[in-house]
Amino acid sequence: MKLVAGNSNRPLAEAISTYLNAPLTKCIVRRFADMEIFVEVQENVRGEDVFVIQSTSAPANDHLMELLIIIDALKRASARRITAVIPYFGYARQDRKPGPRTPISAKLVANMIVRAGADRVLTLDLHAGQIQGFFDIPTDNLFAAPLMVDDIRKVFPKDNLMVVSPDVGGVVRARGLAKRIDAPLAIVDKRRERPGDSEVMNVIGDVSGRSCILIDDIVDSGGTLINAADALLDKGAKLVTGYISHGVLSGGAVARIISSRLKELVITDSILPSESVINAHNIRVLPSAPLLGEAVARTAEEKSVSSLFY
Ligand code: R5P
């Protein structure tokens, strides 16, 4: 097995390499003066089972191009099998046409990865499970839920827990976590009664006195999470903690989280945490390398990956 890392999240690639006790393959990914990307794999990979670790996080276009060019270099170097390990798959939210004459960019990106020469994809908490079908190659979609469950059991040993989906679209994900920790489920339902009216947050379920776990795949501006947390606290919740797989946290999101009423936001390191994330008093990062590393090992050994979750 060979592990190759792009530049999107070097510490995560190193942690996966440590987990697997396998060094990262020497590979230069650098820029020409005009910012074009150049890749040189500096070890023989002929006939090897190669895993390329690269999140397509911001700057998404640069990181995506790096991934494509690394795959191309490996293909031309006669790697036997190339698995794109994409802990955070950017563009995933563009998975359908929201209106006429708009793209389905998630499908376009999937096509590009396949056409570049990837043989498999390994990813974590896709925005929608169906995106697996955008890749016409085997695609394993891992769940961060086991990492979250372990953490919840440590942080809330005896609390009166309630799992909450911040919107109707996230109910399946929230129900999965609620089952795992044997807690009831509530839903925040955002409604705009009339065009121009502001959105009303209705909480479905009795959250009063409960420690609420808000679960979602992405925290980007923080708006969804913070508004849902406010709605729950206004309905008498004791506290609200967010467990979110991918900390996109763009713009002023970190400052918004810091000054919010959230007790804590727990994310994984699928996206490289910025300094401000690391220094925020109410944001904590769970390491995903053991999960990703184990999935890589099982893929290399042709063992079941799904059994990691049952
Ligand atoms: C939306 O469907 C996603 O699951 C997230 O809820 C959304 O991307 C969060 O974005 P923001 O933090 O900007 O509200």
Side-chain angles (χ1 to χ4, degrees):
M1 177 212 304
K2 292 272 187 189
L3 302 174
V4 174
N7 286 321
S8 68
N9 195 341
R10 192 82 196 180
L12 176 59
E14 277 160 10
I16 293 173
S17 142
T18 304
Y19 178 89
L20 292 166
N21 201 14
L24 291 174
T25 297
K26 286 198 189 85
C27 175
I28 293 176
V29 183
R30 66 174 172 84
R31 303 289 154 134
F32 288 119
D34 62 358
M35 296 311 279
E36 282 185 2
I37 296 162
F38 175 70
V39 168
E40 188 182 352
V41 182
Q42 295 185 309
E43 290 177 33
N44 180 22
V45 292
R46 190 174 289 269
E48 297 280 2
D49 191 10
V50 186
F51 294 82
V52 185
I53 304 162
Q54 175 83 328
S55 279
T56 48
S57 50
N61 303 334
D62 286 357
H63 288 153
L64 173 63
M65 271 319 282
E66 275 190 10
L67 174 63
L68 298 174
I69 294 173
I70 294 171
I71 292 173
D72 187 73
L74 292 167
K75 198 83 195 165
R76 292 176 196 281
S78 306
R80 175 170 53 83
R81 181 172 72 168
I82 302 167
T83 301
V85 180
I86 313 174
Y88 171 68
F89 178 64
Y91 280 104
R93 285 173 286 178
Q94 297 186 47
D95 60 353
R96 69 182 78 95
K97 287 182 69 167
R101 298 172 296 283
T102 55
I104 304 181
S105 307
K107 171 63 179 156
L108 172 66
V109 170
N111 285 347
M112 289 161 83
I113 292 169
V114 174
R115 288 299 296 271
D119 298 294
R120 302 186 64 90
V121 168
L122 182 60
T123 186
L124 178 69
D125 274 333
L126 278 173
H127 176 60
Q130 305 88 294
I131 296 171
Q132 284 174 95
F134 289 5
F135 296 93
D136 288 328
I137 50 176
T139 298
D140 289 302
N141 179 27
L142 309 178
F143 305 110
L147 305 175
M148 296 174 178
V149 169
D150 286 351
D151 194 73
I152 291 167
R153 291 206 170 113
K154 277 184 219 140
V155 177
F156 302 95
K158 292 190 199 79
D159 267 42
N160 197 9
L161 289 177
M162 175 81 110
V163 174
V164 185
S165 173
D167 52 33
V168 175
V171 172
V172 172
R173 181 178 296 111
R175 196 188 298 131
L177 182 72
K179 253 173 124 178
R180 282 169 188 267
I181 61 171
D182 195 20
L185 175 70
I187 301 164
V188 177
D189 175 36
K190 285 182 280 192
R191 284 229 183 144
R192 200 182 301 277
E193 294 299 344
R194 270 172 298 276
D197 284 5
S198 55
E199 257 178 0
V200 180
M201 313 286 281
N202 297 307
V203 178
I204 305 171
D206 181 7
V207 297
S208 63
R210 298 274 190 171
S211 298
C212 291
I213 306 282
L214 264 169
I215 174 165
D216 208 346
D217 59 325
I218 292 171
V219 51
D220 187 349
S221 67
T224 304
L225 180 67
I226 292 169
N227 291 340
D230 285 343
L232 295 170
L233 291 165
D234 292 346
K235 291 280 178 197
K238 185 169 127 198
L239 60 90
V240 182
T241 293
Y243 277 81
I244 316 268
S245 311
H246 307 294
V248 173
L249 297 168
S250 46
V254 173
R256 244 170 263 133
I257 300 286
I258 289 172
S259 56
S260 74
R261 294 156 79 197
L262 277 171
K263 179 159 196 303
E264 194 174 34
L265 165 62
V266 183
I267 54 178
T268 77
D269 57 359
S270 64
I271 296 172
L272 182 68
S274 63
E275 277 299 304
S276 60
V277 167
I278 291 163
N279 294 329
H281 74 277
N282 61 349
I283 304 182
R284 194 155 53 83
V285 182
L286 295 179
S288 61
L291 177 63
L292 291 161
E294 187 56 32
V296 167
R298 288 180 185 216
T299 304
E301 291 162 12
E302 306 292 355
K303 286 188 183 156
S304 164
V305 170
S306 64
S307 57
L308 272 171
F309 303 100
Y310 301 106

